[in-house]
Amino acid sequence: MRETDGLRAGPASQQGMRRANLALVLGVIARAPRSRAEVAADTGLTRAAVSSLAEELIAAGLVVEEGPAAPSGKVGRPGTALGLNPQGPGGLGAEIGVEHLGACVVDLRGEVRAWRRQEIRNRGRRPAAVLADLAELLRAAAVEAGLRPAGLTLAVPGLVGDGGGQLQRAANLGWQDVPVTAELRLALRAAGAGQLAELPIDADNEANLGGLAELWLGGAPDHFLHVSAEAGVGAAIVIGGRLLRGARGYAGELGHVPVRPDGPLCACGSHGCLEQYAGEAAVLREAGLEGIRGDWVALLAERAGAGDEEVRAALAGAGSALGIASAGAVNLLDPAEVVLGGGYARLAPWLLGAMRAELAARVTVRPWTDERLTVSRLGRRGPLLGAAVGVVRAIVADPGRLDV
């Protein structure tokens, strides 16, 4: 369920006006608990209208009365504070990684109520088998959370069309043209998770969802480039607080930007792509660890932290390639920051030096300072958090989608 930007046009009917006002009231309450009088002051609606709308939101399980509101300094008893209902509808996130599966449930406040991760090698497996395992993980997470999910978003390591249902290509999984949302729905039904199978299901690129999580939860500015890695290399471009998707939804393929055009052949068919120097296989090869299975990020961090010079040199080479590609993006987009996320966040101590050197030498949009290259606090949790939180943000933006 991709977050909406609210209603596209002014409401053309009384029902449309009510739906817009429900969103307006819920949006104010979502920022912080407010009394009805404070909501009226913040929205410009009458107190009577706010009271009526608040009762509808309470009846729908979206809002609860939390007790006396914080003192306002005005004469008289404080009103009752309204807040988001922690037992209301939740957001369900799922993730397919090359080496893992993930499931997460968050409540309306964005608090994590269940988190499941299963280490499993998915490269080359049939989509149906992977989605069957994921369906079981989702069912277990939903039971643990004890909430009624309102939607499900799936993070995938590949290109997802603008419609959100078709995984066009996931080279590191070996998948192409997979109707991933439809197949996940079938897998949920087969797993006995019929309630989950009836939810709205969306899919998005893992890098996009990681970037959105950085915007919503990680303290990133409104203009930034989020560069992340698991098996491959991806990026999310956020401009003016909005994800830049491109004409067909494929923006952000930084891993396939050539950094050395005469370099080795890439799986995409081009030569010298960033992924050939900073992706999982490339870094492990340069570190003398080719063929090693398991959590490559944890392995490299452990070896580099222990002083392994071959690993440190491999990471420095990856940092240099990342710096070259990022500098081109900075010159083109002029972001306020470049945020290093995903697996790169844990490897940052050994990537940053070379990245900073390349950015300093190549960025022409001045001034550029080292402080504009930052490290994500969310790291590898970003895509799954972005998937789940995006569902509840869409509810807050338009509670009418739940037939309030």
Side-chain angles (χ1 to χ4, degrees):
M1 184 185 298
R2 301 191 187 189
E3 184 185 9
T4 67
D5 297 316
L7 301 179
R8 290 185 175 84
S13 65
Q14 186 175 4
Q15 182 65 19
M17 177 69 78
R18 171 185 160 277
R19 185 167 177 172
N21 285 339
L22 282 167
L24 185 62
V25 168
L26 190 59
V28 169
I29 294 171
R31 293 199 292 271
R34 296 279 199 281
S35 70
R36 289 168 173 80
E38 289 171 324
V39 173
D42 287 349
T43 61
L45 299 172
T46 66
R47 293 183 65 169
V50 168
S51 292
S52 175
L53 293 163
E55 292 308 314
E56 290 187 62
L57 293 169
I58 290 171
L62 298 174
V63 168
V64 290
E65 294 185 327
E66 296 188 344
S72 63
K74 296 181 180 179
V75 176
R77 291 189 306 168
T80 301
L82 301 172
L84 292 178
N85 184 0
Q87 300 305 317
L92 182 57
E95 183 178 16
I96 297 174
V98 175
E99 301 283 349
H100 74 278
L101 297 172
C104 170
V105 181
V106 300
D107 62 27
L108 275 175
R109 300 177 180 183
E111 299 293 327
V112 174
R113 302 290 289 271
W115 187 277
R116 299 286 179 110
R117 181 180 169 102
Q118 179 182 357
E119 302 299 326
I120 183 168
R121 189 171 177 82
N122 295 316
R123 190 192 306 269
R125 294 181 71 203
R126 292 183 301 106
V130 174
L131 291 167
D133 288 340
L134 181 61
E136 293 288 351
L137 203 65
L138 286 164
R139 185 176 60 81
V143 170
E144 178 187 346
L147 299 179
R148 173 173 58 90
L152 166 58
T153 296
L154 171 63
V156 291
L159 297 175
V160 180
D162 197 39
Q166 186 84 0
L167 177 59
Q168 306 289 356
R169 181 170 61 87
N172 289 309
L173 288 174
W175 295 3
Q176 188 162 341
D177 295 326
V178 178
V180 68
T181 56
E183 292 204 11
L184 178 55
R185 196 179 300 281
L186 292 174
L188 288 166
R189 288 179 180 143
Q195 183 181 10
L196 301 183
E198 301 310 313
L199 295 175
I201 302 178
D202 193 14
D204 205 348
N205 175 265
E206 62 176 358
N208 284 343
L209 291 168
L212 287 171
E214 202 65 35
L215 176 69
W216 297 333
L217 308 172
D222 282 348
H223 303 267
F224 70 98
L225 174 70
H226 184 260
V227 182
S228 59
E230 282 301 327
V233 182
I237 304 161
V238 175
I239 304 294
R242 293 171 59 89
L243 183 68
L244 179 65
R245 293 186 177 275
R248 294 177 298 163
Y250 301 153
E253 283 293 290
L254 192 71
H256 296 289
V257 169
V259 293
R260 299 185 177 96
D262 57 348
L265 179 67
C266 181
C268 73
S270 186
H271 286 265
C273 295
L274 173 61
E275 208 163 279
Q276 296 303 305
Y277 300 94
E280 173 191 4
V283 180
L284 289 175
R285 182 178 60 249
E286 291 301 311
L289 300 171
E290 189 171 14
I292 295 292
R293 292 190 173 186
D295 189 338
W296 68 283
V297 172
L299 174 64
L300 290 173
E302 180 183 352
R303 295 281 185 99
D308 187 318
E309 291 302 325
E310 191 172 10
V311 170
R312 290 188 172 191
L315 290 171
S320 178
L322 283 165
I324 293 170
S326 297
V330 169
N331 286 333
L332 181 66
L333 301 168
D334 189 27
E337 289 183 9
V338 174
V339 182
L340 207 56
Y344 287 147
R346 186 168 180 186
L347 299 173
W350 306 282
L351 296 170
L352 288 175
M355 282 192 73
R356 286 171 177 154
E358 295 290 354
L359 284 161
R362 297 173 182 275
V363 170
T364 59
V365 180
R366 305 292 181 180
W368 176 265
T369 61
D370 286 348
E371 290 72 24
R372 290 173 64 185
L373 175 60
T374 64
V375 180
S376 167
R377 299 196 305 267
L378 305 177
R380 302 171 89 178
R381 292 168 60 88
L384 195 47
L385 285 172
V389 170
V391 173
V392 296
R393 286 179 64 90
I395 295 169
V396 172
D398 182 15
R401 69 173 63 225
L402 299 181
D403 297 325
V404 175

